[in-house]
Amino acid sequence: MKDENHSFFDITYNLNTKETKSKKIQKEDYDKNILCGDCDNGILGGIYEDYAKDTLYGENLNPEIAPKCENFINPDDGAEYSICNNIDYTKMKLFFLSLLWRASITDRPTFNEVSIGSKHEEIIRKMIYEKITPLEEEYPIVITSFMRTENKFENLIAQPKRIRTKGGLNGYIFLIDSLQFMFFVNSNDHKIPEYILKSTIKESGELTTLHLPNGSELEFFKQILGK
C-alpha cells in the first residue's frame, strides 16, 4: 500500500488474529523509463488521467459533462450498487486500460503478477495513443467498492493480483483508494461471461460500481488469496 507521502508499505494481515503489520519498502513505485514525457504528461496525464480523476472523485467538471449517479438496492439480495451515466466512455476506458498496460510493461516488482503478453500490450498501446475506442467486450472491467464497509481501505494502493475464472479467463485485480478494478483479458477461445458484460462500462456512458456489504471485505480477501 501507499501512504499520503507516496511511500509504499508491505502490509501483512493475519485473517485469524486480525493483526496488521506494516514495513516500509520504498518511496513511490514509478517507472520513469517506460514512457516519454510527452506521452506520459500529454496523452495519459493530460487526456485520460485528468478526466478520470475529476469524474471518479467529483471535482472540476462542468455540470453539463459531469456524471449523473444514482444508488440502487437489489430487492432480491439487498446488494447495493451505483450507476453513473454521462461518462465519456472512450476517455474512461482508455484510462483504465492505461493502468493495466503500464503495469504489464514495467519491470517494477510491485507489478510482477501483471503480464498480459506482447500481443495484448501492443493492442492496448495502439488504442491509447491513437485514441481508438475499444468495444465493450474488449478487456471488460468490473468495479467494486469498499465504500460501504467499515474497512474502506482509503489511500491504499495494493499490489495487483492475477486471477483466473472457472471458465479459464485471465484477470487482474487492482485495489486503488477504496475502489477495486477487475480487468479481464480475453482471447478468441474464451467467451466473456454475461455477469461481466452486464457490469462493465458501457459505450452508452453507463458505469456501474458494485458496493461490497459491510463485514464482507475480509471474506472477500480470503477468496482472492485462496485462503
Side-chain angles (χ1 to χ4, degrees):
M1 66 170 287
K2 185 174 75 169
D3 66 7
E4 65 275 7
N5 296 316
H6 305 287
S7 295
F8 278 80
F9 292 80
D10 183 17
I11 303 295
T12 302
Y13 185 86
N14 189 309
L15 292 168
N16 296 317
T17 65
K18 297 185 178 181
E19 293 181 348
T20 302
K21 296 181 180 179
S22 64
K23 179 177 69 174
K24 187 174 180 179
I25 54 176
Q26 66 186 55
K27 182 81 170 178
E28 188 67 82
D29 206 347
Y30 173 70
D31 191 343
K32 65 180 181 180
N33 298 315
I34 64 174
L35 297 172
C36 67
D38 288 342
C39 301
D40 197 1
N41 297 323
I43 297 177
L44 298 184
I47 298 176
Y48 305 133
E49 288 182 4
D50 286 351
Y51 174 78
K53 178 186 67 175
D54 293 340
T55 301
L56 292 174
Y57 296 100
E59 299 177 356
N60 305 322
L61 274 184
N62 185 313
E64 293 184 0
I65 61 173
K68 298 173 176 57
C69 302
E70 291 185 76
N71 297 318
F72 299 90
I73 298 178
N74 188 323
D76 296 327
D77 57 13
E80 296 184 50
Y81 60 100
S82 300
I83 295 179
C84 294
N85 288 289
N86 205 33
I87 299 291
D88 187 316
Y89 172 80
T90 299
K91 287 182 180 179
M92 185 62 79
K93 182 149 185 179
L94 290 180
F95 163 71
F96 290 146
L97 292 182
S98 75
L99 299 179
L100 177 65
W101 175 70
R102 283 183 284 187
S104 184
I105 66 175
T106 185
D107 292 327
R108 303 296 291 188
T110 301
F111 305 99
N112 60 8
E113 288 197 29
V114 183
S115 179
I116 63 176
S118 58
K119 182 184 77 171
H120 291 293
E121 287 174 355
E122 176 57 21
I123 291 173
I124 294 176
R125 185 202 66 80
K126 188 177 178 68
M127 288 178 175
I128 292 169
Y129 288 105
E130 296 184 16
K131 304 180 183 65
I132 298 172
T133 301
L135 299 175
E136 289 180 10
E137 60 267 25
E138 289 184 290
Y139 310 107
I141 303 149
V142 174
I143 303 174
T144 60
S145 99
F146 291 101
M147 294 177 181
R148 302 287 196 273
T149 66
E150 182 178 351
N151 300 296
K152 294 181 174 60
F153 304 113
E154 293 175 330
N155 301 316
L156 186 151
I157 300 178
Q159 181 177 5
K161 297 292 183 182
R162 182 174 181 175
I163 60 173
R164 192 175 179 87
T165 68
K166 292 181 180 179
L169 191 65
N170 289 318
Y172 300 91
I173 295 179
F174 288 63
L175 176 61
I176 304 174
D177 194 20
S178 300
L179 292 174
Q180 188 168 235
F181 304 94
M182 289 180 277
F183 298 88
F184 295 94
V185 180
N186 50 305
S187 67
N188 293 331
D189 298 327
H190 296 109
K191 183 179 179 180
I192 303 296
E194 187 61 31
Y195 73 90
I196 293 177
L197 293 178
K198 185 177 180 180
S199 302
T200 192
I201 183 172
K202 302 292 193 298
E203 292 181 47
S204 63
E206 180 181 290
L207 178 67
T208 299
T209 300
L210 310 174
H211 299 293
L212 298 172
N214 186 39
S216 68
E217 63 270 30
L218 298 182
E219 286 299 320
F220 184 80
F221 275 124
K222 285 181 182 180
Q223 294 176 14
I224 293 300
L225 297 173
K227 298 293 186 180

